[in-house]
Amino acid sequence: MNTAQFDEFLTAARAEPAPQRLLFVFGVAELPPGATPGQAKRHREGRGGTLAPVMCVDKSPDELTSFADLARESEATGQPWDMVFAGALAGRDGAPPAPADIERALRGMIGAIHRGAIENFLVLDRQGQALQLS
């Protein structure tokens, strides 16, 4: 398991001067309704489908020591997932982000995933491998 990018993400969040909240949206790749046979084939091969967020969570950088921690916690929910989208939200004036700001940011991430606008997120598979989605 190569989780170097996740480790770098944690290290960078911890090094920020403003308190951070790490935002995670877990998703699955689904076959869209009315998919063509070609789309179904690509989906079976792991190369296609639509992204559907299934759960989300926020954490302080100190609440996680590794990708394995995050994966273990997510598995405890029983909710299947294929990938996780990660982002960070900075606080202000030495205070961590407010709950309403965290909720708004997570909703924004979910909306971006629905639109396919995922270029600003770290995307990892279940083993912690960075994914390049197009």
Side-chain angles (χ1 to χ4, degrees):
M1 176 187 310
N2 178 5
T3 58
Q5 284 189 296
F6 186 81
D7 293 341
E8 291 170 9
F9 175 68
L10 283 177
T11 299
R14 290 180 182 130
E16 286 293 320
Q20 302 285 307
R21 286 306 283 186
L22 305 180
L23 309 175
F24 300 101
V25 177
F26 295 81
V28 295
E30 298 179 326
L31 190 59
T36 67
Q39 289 172 317
K41 180 179 184 284
R42 284 190 300 281
H43 183 260
R44 281 191 307 275
E45 295 168 348
R47 299 184 299 118
T50 59
L51 300 174
V54 293
M55 64 180 168
C56 59
V57 67
D58 67 285
K59 299 280 186 184
S60 76
D62 296 329
E63 288 179 281
L64 293 172
T65 58
S66 68
F67 182 80
D69 288 348
L70 182 66
R72 198 170 19 261
E73 184 177 323
S74 70
E75 289 166 6
T77 69
Q79 174 65 56
W81 56 277
D82 298 318
M83 65 200 74
V84 61
F85 300 84
L89 180 64
R92 285 177 250 184
D93 301 322
D101 293 334
I102 294 167
E103 181 70 23
R104 192 173 15 264
L106 284 168
R107 287 182 192 272
M109 285 180 72
I110 291 167
I113 293 165
H114 280 298
R115 293 188 308 277
I118 57 173
E119 59 278 351
N120 292 325
F121 306 128
L122 173 61
V123 185
L124 303 163
D125 67 11
R126 291 187 62 85
Q127 289 73 46
Q129 299 288 325
L131 298 173
Q132 295 294 322
L133 303 178
S134 55

